[in-house]
Every structure is written in C-alpha cells, then in structure tokens.
C-alpha cells in the first residue's frame, strides 16, 4: 500500500557552526532547540553534539525518562539503551553503544520532552512538546526515514503533520497492519513501529521481532 506524498517539514535556515579544523558541521541539539523555542521547566532535550548533515534517520521514541541519565544520550548503561541496543543487534547491525548508532546516521529522540506523571501520556503533554519536536525534525536536512516507535510517537507526528496537510499522515489502524505499507511525508519514508524502551519490549517477543525487522528495513533504505 502506498500513501500519498505530502510536503515535509520545512528547514528553518539551520546553520550549524563549521569546525574549521575537521571540516565538519557541528551542532548541539539542546542548544539549537533552546535558542529557537526557549527554555521551559521540566523539558528534557538531547544534550548531544553531532553533524546534522550525516543524519539519515530519525527514530522518535515516546517519552523521556524521569532520570535524564537513563535516556539515550545519558550514561553508557542507561535503561533506554538496554532495550535499544538489543533491537539493533537483532536486526543484524554491528551496534554496541549509542555512538555506533549515530555513526550509522541514526538519531534517536523522544516525542514527549517531559517525564510522564501517570501510566498514560496525556494529550497536553504531547502538545507542549510539539514546538521542540517540530524544530528538532527541521535540524536534519538529509533525513530519508522517520521511524515512529510507539503510539505516542505516531500521535505526535500526526499532530505536527496536520498543521501542514490538515490530515493524518499515519492512518488510525493497528501498527502491524501498516508495517508493509510505504508511507511518505514529502520525500521522507515514515515507518510506524513499536516502542523501543521499557521492559515489555523484551518480554513481548513478537513486537521485539517486528521492531527489529523494521530497523533492518530502515538500514537498507539508508544504504547502511
């Protein structure tokens, strides 16, 4: 099934500083987002420096953890990496840490930038984080794939896309029914998949297998 292509997120004149010695672009994601959107209480942003031109895939997880050190760019054995690394390895990719994932050209972020206070994530929590997520997506001009890891990521992406298209990009159907569909937002392939953090993904073997297959598909698209 092939869904109609629409215009992607606009690049908002992002001009990261040039490292004169290494000849590469360098950008601190947190600094760029705070400069563009502002500093807000409880908002957690990725304090990571990278070359935005090298990023070919953005994976959007659901929500930041209560402890920032347990996020993707926190400590080496962070909780979020204890599930993410095995997913990449199951996909057949030679990944041992978050730097290996970045080296692939894959950037991981969270849709909701504030830790959840209840079991479920409320709509206003998603809405409050949208300005940061929208700007974040615009920082990477060479993205070919956006992976939506879980229902909250799908909701957030649809809320952003509707600002331009006035309709959802991701149909409101079960994820497993969409996995073999080719969905595009402009020139960007959008891939709905399953949440990549939390102990449940390691227990639910079918979802673990499907998420790892989706990651393998993504890797082929970006020619890794």
């Amino acid at each position: 099934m092939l869904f109609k292509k629409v215009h992607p997120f606009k690049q908002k004149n992002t001009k990261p500083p040039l490292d004169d010695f290494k000849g590469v672009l360098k950008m601190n994601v947190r600094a760029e987002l705070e400069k563009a959107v502002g500093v807000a209480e409880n908002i957690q942003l990725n304090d990571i420096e990278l070359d935005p031109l090298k990023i070919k895939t953005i994976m959007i997880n659901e929500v930041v953890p209560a402890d920032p050190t347990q996020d993707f760019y926190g400590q080496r054995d962070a909780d979020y990496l204890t599930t993410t690394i095995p997913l990449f390895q199951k996909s057949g990719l030679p990944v041992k840490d978050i730097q290996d994932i970045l080296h692939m050209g894959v950037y991981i972020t969270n849709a909701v930038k504030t830790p959840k206070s209840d079991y479920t994530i409320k709509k206003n929590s998603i809405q409050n984080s949208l300005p940061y997520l929208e700007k974040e997506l615009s920082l990477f001009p060479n993205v070919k794939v956006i992976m939506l890891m879980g229902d909250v990521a799908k909701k957030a992406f649809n809320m952003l896309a509707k600002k331009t298209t006035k309709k959802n990009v991701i149909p409101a159907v079960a994820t497993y029914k969409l996995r073999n569909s080719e969905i595009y937002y402009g020139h960007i392939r959008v891939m709905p998949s399953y949440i990549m953090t939390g102990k449940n993904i390691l227990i639910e073997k079918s979802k673990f297998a499907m998420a790892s297959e989706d990651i393998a598909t993504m890797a082929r698209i970006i020619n890794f």
Side-chain angles (χ1 to χ4, degrees):
M1 188 183 300
L2 180 64
F3 291 89
K4 185 179 179 180
K5 296 185 180 183
V6 294
H7 294 294
F9 296 102
K10 294 180 179 179
Q11 307 300 323
K12 300 180 180 179
N13 296 321
T14 301
K15 294 182 179 179
L18 179 65
D19 186 323
D20 293 329
F21 297 98
K22 296 182 180 179
V24 298
L25 292 171
K26 283 192 173 182
M27 175 187 72
N28 183 281
V29 175
R30 177 179 175 178
E32 290 294 322
L33 296 182
E34 289 182 341
K35 180 171 64 177
V37 184
V39 178
E41 185 177 2
N42 295 326
I43 290 286
Q44 296 179 17
L45 305 171
N46 291 333
D47 189 10
I48 178 73
E49 190 171 272
L50 46 70
D51 180 352
L53 300 183
K54 293 182 178 180
I55 300 301
K56 301 297 189 298
T57 295
I58 299 175
M59 299 179 74
I60 305 178
N61 186 55
E62 294 201 326
V63 60
V64 297
D67 179 359
T69 66
Q70 302 304 319
D71 209 341
F72 299 105
Y73 305 100
Q75 60 193 38
R76 187 175 180 86
D77 59 347
D79 287 346
Y80 275 16
L81 293 179
T82 61
T83 53
T84 300
I85 300 300
L87 277 171
F88 275 79
Q89 292 174 339
K90 176 69 173 178
S91 303
L93 298 167
V95 166
K96 295 181 180 179
D97 54 32
I98 191 64
Q99 291 301 321
D100 287 341
I101 294 175
L102 286 170
H103 180 72
M104 285 181 58
V106 177
Y107 171 74
I108 308 177
T109 191
N110 297 287
V112 179
K113 311 298 187 184
T114 54
K116 62 181 180 181
S117 55
D118 299 312
Y119 181 75
T120 58
I121 298 173
K122 297 179 180 179
K123 185 177 180 179
N124 68 327
S125 295
I126 302 175
Q127 291 173 325
N128 292 340
S129 296
L130 284 182
Y132 292 95
L133 182 61
E134 181 175 25
K135 175 62 182 177
E136 194 170 19
L137 296 179
S138 76
L139 294 176
F140 304 101
N142 295 327
V143 166
K144 296 181 179 180
V145 180
I146 293 178
M147 296 192 70
L148 306 176
M149 311 305 290
D151 289 341
V152 172
K154 288 194 294 183
K155 289 177 183 178
F157 190 84
N158 272 338
M159 291 166 73
L160 284 180
K162 284 178 74 172
K163 294 173 61 177
T164 301
T165 67
K166 309 302 180 184
K167 61 181 180 180
N168 291 335
V169 172
I170 308 301
V173 298
T175 297
Y176 76 90
K177 294 182 179 180
L178 297 171
R179 292 182 59 246
N180 293 322
S181 303
E182 290 190 14
I183 303 173
Y184 285 88
Y185 187 62
H187 64 281
I188 300 172
R189 174 78 177 270
V190 183
M191 299 178 61
S193 190
Y194 297 95
I195 187 169
M196 61 198 298
T197 54
K199 296 180 180 179
N200 286 344
I201 187 65
L202 297 178
I203 298 172
E204 299 180 47
K205 293 184 179 180
S206 61
K207 288 186 178 179
F208 184 87
M210 287 187 286
S212 62
E213 289 170 3
D214 294 339
I215 292 172
T217 299
M218 172 274 292
R220 289 193 296 270
I221 293 172
I222 64 173
N223 298 317
F224 183 82

